[in-house]
Amino acid sequence: MDDTGAPDRTVTAGHLLTTAEHAFLRAEFGLARPLLRRFQSEFGTTEDEDATLRYTVLRSALAARAGNWQEAARRLPDSDDLGWAETGIVHALAVSALRRLSEEGRHTEAGTAALAIVLWAHLLDEEDPGDFRGLVTERRGTPVPDELWEDARHQLLGRVTDLLHALDVRAGRDALTAWETAWEAEQLDPLVVPSEAGPDDLIPLSGAAWALIDQGRHAALLDAYAARHPDPGSWTAESPDHLPCAGPVSRALSARAQDRVGAGEWGEALADFSRARRLGRTLDAADRAAVLRAGRNVGRGRNGHGYSSVDRIHGLELAHTLLPQDGSLALDLAAELVRQGRKVLHRDPEESWIRFTRALAVSPDAPGAQSGLDELLRADLDRALAGARPAERIHAHAVEDLLRRDPDCGPARKWLKEHYAAQAVAAASDGQPSTARTPTAETKRAALEHRVDVLSTALTGAGALDSLLAREMLDDELLRLAEHLEATASPSDVIELFLRGRMRTGVSARFDRTVETAYLRRAQAREKEGDVGGARRDRACAERIGAGLPAQGLLFGPPPGGAPGRKGRRDDNSGQGSLF
């Protein structure tokens, strides 16, 4: 050793490092430093990675010895590389870091805490990558029995944990930024990088969250997370604020929900499962069983006491959303909605309507839901016909549906007649007869037929003035429909429209010509098919229509009310339908 500094002596990098390490361990720091300087000047660019790592750790230890903990943290290599360093140097540095943290007022030195965590996690690793047990054996002078080694190892782990916990409490750090959490995480998977330790945390939030999950500390994780994000309704995996911790937080929520199911806290459990789902969790078999159990009991206190309809409906909605394919939950929810809708049927019709409607959406065959809605609609119709302000729930299609279920409902029929008559008159007065309640239809034919039906209904319930307007509008629509059928359908479709008797011959020459042409076309078709009798009858009808006579009258003899060549009037009794 006396000759290592001589300028004329050739030495190796390993020899210099070994000599410097021994000098450090003997506390001969005045010798260790010049040896490292010579190593740096002669071998600083060496390709020997192991030598470089040994040099780096020794420089870190010397910096810590001099009180430069920031430099010590910056120089410390990754935890995976510590196995190449001298174990005694690593241990000395680890002890110094703990002593530093134990000093009064040193509880804010994140870099020093990161050093202690990385070094002690390496030394106390179960796989003993740095042979710390061998160092202890060497210093004891005798092997360490397995039982004694495990006991001592656990005691050391506990002492480090206790110190870091005390520092966390003193600084007011939550579980996500606690040094204790980083310490526990480092033992499972190296995450701490001393040179990157900041004032707020030692590891990323996601790493801390997973570490808490691995420790079974889901309650601590949720408490810390809720303090940072007080609005659970915003917890979604799509949010950039929640994406980093979505996985561990959703698992913690699921674990807490399981605990709450066991404690009979049904609503709270379902809320937790719902939040976990929004954070991206896929419910497993245990989760689904817990949701089903909570859904069956939510809103019901123990032993059947403490029933709450609001809690039950809300809880069943959550359970149904979580398990939409479960038919029993859908039936329970629909039944509860109908039950509560019945309770407020007369006191709060609007709320009752909402509950019946939701019940049908959940279960289309929900018993009592449709009858409840019909009862509300009948009451609304009665009030509207009595002159009260029409309820917003009254819609023509709903009244039509009611009539299909209850054809004898007089208020529904009367309301529809007044409704259609009013719309027909309003459309006519606006100069837009073709827009008289035109619904969305898949085809033009369906739209035209619907308008004809609407105006026919309006005509039966209209007064004298309204009747005249509705009649004119109906005739116009019948002509449009007939011409559309002539262009797009079969002659029989035009004839069938005519035979319904909604327009008599002689009212519209265009309508008559369209029907006449249809009879002639069908006659030709029947001749080709060999139906001579049918063709003869069709031609006879065409001739009578062409002469202004009703095709449905007696085929032989003069039509009632005048000669064959006379045009009919609106008040003629055409006898349409008497033959076919």
Side-chain angles (χ1 to χ4, degrees):
M1 290 181 60
D2 291 339
D3 296 334
T4 54
D8 59 345
R9 181 171 179 82
T10 302
V11 296
T12 64
H15 180 60
L16 282 174
L17 286 174
T18 301
T19 305
E21 287 168 347
H22 290 173
F24 181 90
L25 293 174
R26 289 195 300 270
E28 296 175 349
F29 306 112
L31 178 60
R33 289 189 177 89
L35 289 171
L36 289 181
R37 283 195 295 270
R38 180 171 180 184
F39 172 86
Q40 177 64 23
S41 64
E42 295 187 17
F43 305 103
T45 58
T46 179
E47 295 181 359
D48 188 340
E49 186 175 357
D50 297 349
T52 300
L53 291 173
R54 291 170 62 190
Y55 168 80
T56 302
V57 173
L58 192 51
R59 284 292 303 269
S60 177
L62 287 171
R65 175 72 185 177
N68 189 351
W69 292 94
Q70 184 176 3
E71 176 70 8
R74 186 183 69 82
R75 284 194 171 277
L76 192 73
D78 293 339
S79 56
D80 293 339
D81 297 326
L82 287 174
W84 301 105
E86 165 63 43
T87 304
I89 305 293
V90 174
H91 177 251
L93 182 54
V95 171
S96 298
L98 282 186
R99 287 174 178 170
R100 175 76 171 183
L101 291 175
S102 301
E103 296 175 4
E104 188 68 27
R106 301 295 183 185
H107 56 276
T108 60
E109 294 186 356
T112 307
L115 273 174
I117 288 172
V118 170
L119 296 173
W120 282 107
H122 171 75
L123 290 171
L124 299 177
D125 191 326
E126 289 184 347
E127 298 181 1
D128 197 16
D131 194 21
F132 183 44
R133 187 174 181 177
L135 174 66
V136 174
T137 298
E138 179 183 347
R139 294 184 178 179
R140 285 180 82 242
T142 180
V144 183
D146 291 342
E147 298 80 4
L148 181 58
W149 171 252
E150 286 302 317
D151 182 62
R153 178 176 170 275
H154 284 295
Q155 284 191 38
L156 276 173
L157 287 170
R159 290 179 64 182
V160 176
T161 301
D162 292 343
L163 173 61
L164 294 174
H165 177 73
L167 296 175
D168 288 331
V169 171
R170 187 186 305 175
R173 285 183 284 269
D174 65 14
L176 283 169
T177 55
W179 292 351
E180 179 186 2
T181 303
W183 162 241
E184 298 287 352
E186 187 71 12
Q187 296 174 60
L188 300 172
D189 183 26
L191 291 175
V192 180
V193 180
S195 60
E196 298 177 1
D200 298 327
D201 48 45
L202 302 183
I203 58 175
L205 285 180
S206 59
W210 280 117
L212 292 170
I213 289 295
D214 292 336
Q215 300 165 38
R217 298 175 60 196
H218 56 262
L221 168 57
L222 293 176
D223 288 345
Y225 201 75
R228 292 164 177 262
H229 306 281
D231 179 16
S234 67
W235 296 8
T236 62
E238 292 77 17
S239 170
D241 292 338
H242 299 285
L243 182 59
C245 293
V249 172
S250 68
R251 186 177 296 186
L253 285 166
S254 177
R256 187 172 71 179
Q258 294 281 0
D259 294 341
R260 285 177 162 174
V261 168
E265 298 172 355
W266 317 116
E268 294 84 349
L270 289 169
D272 276 347
F273 278 126
S274 180
R275 291 170 190 142
R277 185 70 170 271
R278 290 201 306 271
L279 285 170
R281 179 169 177 79
T282 300
L283 302 185
D284 58 22
D287 291 336
R288 293 193 294 271
V291 169
L292 190 59
R293 182 183 174 192
R296 289 170 177 167
N297 292 280
V298 67
R300 299 169 176 167
R302 292 186 178 276
N303 301 321
H305 301 294
Y307 183 87
S308 170
S309 60
V310 174
D311 290 345
R312 180 146 181 78
I313 289 176
H314 178 67
L316 281 169
E317 287 281 13
L318 289 178
H320 177 60
T321 301
L322 290 166
L323 299 178
Q325 304 305 322
D326 190 279
S328 64
L329 287 175
L331 291 175
D332 287 347
L333 174 56
E336 188 64 30
L337 288 165
V338 172
R339 186 181 301 114
Q340 299 308 318
R342 281 287 174 191
K343 285 185 178 181
V344 298
L345 184 64
H346 303 293
R347 184 176 72 252
D348 190 348
E350 188 64 30
E351 181 64 23
S352 181
W353 183 85
I354 291 173
R355 289 177 175 176
F356 288 142
T357 302
R358 176 57 182 155
L360 284 178
V362 172
S363 179
D365 299 324
Q370 188 60 63
S371 62
L373 287 173
D374 289 348
E375 188 172 346
L376 287 170
L377 182 54
R378 290 190 188 95
D380 289 339
L381 290 171
D382 288 338
R383 285 191 291 271
L385 292 172
R389 182 168 177 251
E392 294 181 356
R393 292 187 299 272
I394 301 181
H395 300 287
H397 66 84
V399 180
E400 291 170 352
D401 291 342
L402 175 60
L403 276 176
R404 293 188 187 97
R405 292 186 293 271
D406 183 9
D408 297 328
C409 181
R413 189 171 298 279
K414 183 177 180 181
W415 185 90
L416 270 181
K417 287 181 179 180
E418 294 183 357
H419 173 75
Y420 291 152
Q423 286 205 340
V425 172
S429 64
D430 289 342
Q432 300 174 0
S434 64
T435 62
R437 195 177 180 272
T438 303
T440 300
E442 294 181 0
T443 65
K444 183 177 180 180
R445 175 176 177 173
L448 290 168
E449 288 178 340
H450 189 82
R451 282 201 292 266
V452 167
D453 291 340
V454 167
L455 290 167
S456 296
T457 304
L459 183 63
T460 61
L465 177 61
D466 293 347
S467 177
L468 178 60
L469 294 172
R471 178 72 258 177
E472 292 176 354
M473 293 172 62
L474 177 59
D475 290 345
D476 290 341
E477 293 301 324
L478 280 168
L479 176 59
R480 289 188 179 88
L481 177 57
E483 291 178 338
H484 178 73
L485 293 176
E486 181 183 34
T488 61
S490 68
S492 294
D493 288 337
V494 178
I495 296 170
E496 182 183 353
L497 173 66
F498 170 67
L499 294 179
R500 293 176 188 169
R502 286 174 169 171
M503 184 189 295
R504 296 178 296 277
T505 55
V507 174
S508 169
R510 287 172 58 186
F511 185 82
D512 291 350
R513 283 196 301 272
T514 302
V515 177
E516 179 185 7
T517 302
Y519 271 116
L520 291 175
R521 289 174 59 193
R522 194 171 73 173
Q524 292 176 356
R526 284 180 168 179
E527 283 182 344
K528 291 180 179 179
E529 295 171 356
D531 183 3
V532 178
R536 184 183 301 114
R537 288 192 297 272
D538 281 349
R539 283 200 170 85
C541 289
E543 291 176 0
R544 294 182 66 82
I545 293 172
L549 301 177
Q552 291 76 14
L554 297 175
L555 293 179
F556 304 99
R566 179 184 177 185
K567 286 288 183 178
R569 298 177 299 174
R570 286 186 178 274
D571 57 351
D572 284 343
N573 182 8
S574 68
Q576 263 173 302
S578 63
L579 182 59
F580 297 100

